[in-house]
């Protein structure tokens, strides 16, 4: 296992991403799955986003309308990168001559937007027998498949705070130790718009006598196991699988020591 990263390092990077990007709101239930996410979780960031800027929404709507009127070839595709969706300045509504540029900068009013990434956490909860907790998803995406507890980091929340909160919400478990396993870029599509995510996976410990109580709206089942191909081939999100495979390699090293 890797050493626990310094809280300072984690906080620093978390701060950086939150300060640069504010639009995407974490969802309680979302999974880093590229994390990740249940219907509910997915719905939340978008709902917040919509609430956040009525202007933006209006601009987007009119942008789509006017684009359709002008030229059917440039009509909004069914799925697109978030930077491409900035057809107008969200602040002053000036049409964007260069959709897709990162960062977005409005020449009219100076408004700038960096497009993320938003942080998401995944928990590899391990028991005393060195078994991993897998949870079966009760909703799409990935309904009926295995996943890890986790979700988006809320604004104003630390990475560690998000892990504690997500795991408690989904399983009622209280984490006692966290240790960074791996991180990786990811993305997340909601309502046809794909935004950037940075996943952080932590190996987590819980007290030996812990009882799991699943959040049944989101999860239907759990099991402690050393995952094999059977589980790995039935995981909801590729990012979760990559993290579990890394954990399995580290576990093997530990065992052979
Ligand atoms: Zn502007």
């Amino acid at each position: 296992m890797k050493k626990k990263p310094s809280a300072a390092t984690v906080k620093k990077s978390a701060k950086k991403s939150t300060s640069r990007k504010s639009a995407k709101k974490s969802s309680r239930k979302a999974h880093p799955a590229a994390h990740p996410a249940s219907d509910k979780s997915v719905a939340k960031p978008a709902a917040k986003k919509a609430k956040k800027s009525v202007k933006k929404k209006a601009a987007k709507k009119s942008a789509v309308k006017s684009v359709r009127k002008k030229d059917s070839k440039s009509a909004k595709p069914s799925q697109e990168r978030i930077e491409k969706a900035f057809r107008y300045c969200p602040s002053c509504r000036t049409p964007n001559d260069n959709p897709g540029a990162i960062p977005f900068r409005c020449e009219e009013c100076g408004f700038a937007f960096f497009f993320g990434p938003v942080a998401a956490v995944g928990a590899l909860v391990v028991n005393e027998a060195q078994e991993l907790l897998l949870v079966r998803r009760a909703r799409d995406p990935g309904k009926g498949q295995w996943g890890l507890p986790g979700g988006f980091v809320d604004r104003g929340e630390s990475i560690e705070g998000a892990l504690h909160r997500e795991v408690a919400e989904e399983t009622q478990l209280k984490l006692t130790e966290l240790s960074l396993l791996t991180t990786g870029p990811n993305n997340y599509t909601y309502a046809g718009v794909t935004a950037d995510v940075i996943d952080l996976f932590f190996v987590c410990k819980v007290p030996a006598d812990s009882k799991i109580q699943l959040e049944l709206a989101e999860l239907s089942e759990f099991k402690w196991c050393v995952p094999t191909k059977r589980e790995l081939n039935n995981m909801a999100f590729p990012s979760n699988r990559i993290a579990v495979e890394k954990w399995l390699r580290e576990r093997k090293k530990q065992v052979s020591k």
Side-chain angles (χ1 to χ4, degrees):
M1 300 288 158
K2 279 195 175 171
K3 288 242 171 79
K4 192 173 175 176
S6 81
T9 314
V10 171
K11 275 195 178 142
K12 204 174 161 193
S13 58
K15 222 173 204 168
K16 201 174 164 193
S17 60
T18 48
S19 68
R20 285 174 54 202
K21 165 148 188 183
S22 58
K24 186 151 183 183
K25 180 62 171 71
S26 91
S27 135
R28 288 170 52 220
K29 309 299 174 251
H31 268 260
H35 252 277
S38 72
D39 294 342
K40 203 170 160 190
S41 48
V42 215
K44 215 174 164 187
K48 290 260 172 168
K49 220 188 237 181
K51 251 189 242 166
K52 196 190 165 206
S53 170
V54 174
K55 264 189 199 171
K56 189 167 155 185
K57 197 175 160 192
K60 201 166 168 185
K61 247 191 197 168
S62 62
V64 172
K65 242 193 232 165
S66 66
V67 166
R68 276 185 189 149
K69 247 189 253 167
K70 270 189 249 164
D71 180 3
S72 63
K73 267 189 288 181
S74 58
K76 195 183 172 193
S78 60
Q79 187 176 322
E80 66 183 346
R81 304 277 323 169
I82 191 168
E83 61 272 14
K84 291 258 184 195
F86 273 53
R87 293 178 175 81
Y88 285 70
C89 172
S91 182
C92 76
R93 308 186 198 194
T94 298
N96 180 5
D97 293 337
N98 190 20
I102 301 174
F104 166 84
R105 283 189 200 281
C106 175
E107 293 192 358
E108 204 57 41
C109 74
F111 176 88
F113 194 75
F114 293 84
F115 301 109
V118 65
V121 294
L124 290 92
V125 182
V126 177
N127 66 12
E128 286 190 319
Q130 286 297 299
E131 294 168 321
L132 181 69
L133 176 65
L134 293 181
V135 289
R136 199 189 284 279
R137 299 175 55 75
R139 288 167 170 251
D140 278 324
K143 184 176 176 180
Q145 294 183 295
W146 295 110
L148 299 169
F152 287 114
V153 179
D154 279 341
R155 292 174 73 186
E157 184 176 50
S158 68
I159 297 292
E160 295 90 336
L163 269 169
H164 284 285
R165 176 181 52 75
E166 287 288 352
V167 171
E169 284 171 1
E170 295 182 359
T171 66
Q172 298 294 311
L173 288 171
K174 304 252 180 294
L175 304 180
T176 53
E177 276 182 50
L178 311 176
S179 147
L180 183 64
L181 174 71
T182 189
T183 70
N186 210 335
N187 57 62
Y188 184 69
T189 301
Y190 177 73
V193 177
T194 302
D196 276 58
V197 174
I198 176 72
D199 288 337
L200 299 101
F201 290 97
F202 285 75
V203 176
C204 307
K205 288 188 185 169
V206 293
D209 57 351
S210 293
K211 291 275 178 289
I212 292 176
Q213 209 183 315
L214 292 180
E215 184 180 30
L216 293 173
E218 304 291 330
L219 304 170
S220 60
E221 189 188 339
F222 70 88
K223 71 170 168 182
W224 295 99
C225 65
V226 178
T228 64
K229 283 275 180 276
R230 211 169 77 125
E231 288 83 19
L232 293 170
N233 289 334
N234 191 27
M235 293 201 66
F237 307 115
S239 63
N240 283 202
R241 177 178 180 152
I242 289 166
V244 171
E245 285 173 335
K246 173 147 193 194
W247 176 78
L248 286 168
R249 289 195 299 274
E250 305 258 327
R251 183 183 184 277
K252 211 170 171 184
K253 274 189 240 163
Q254 292 290 320
V255 170
S256 64
K257 256 180 204 169

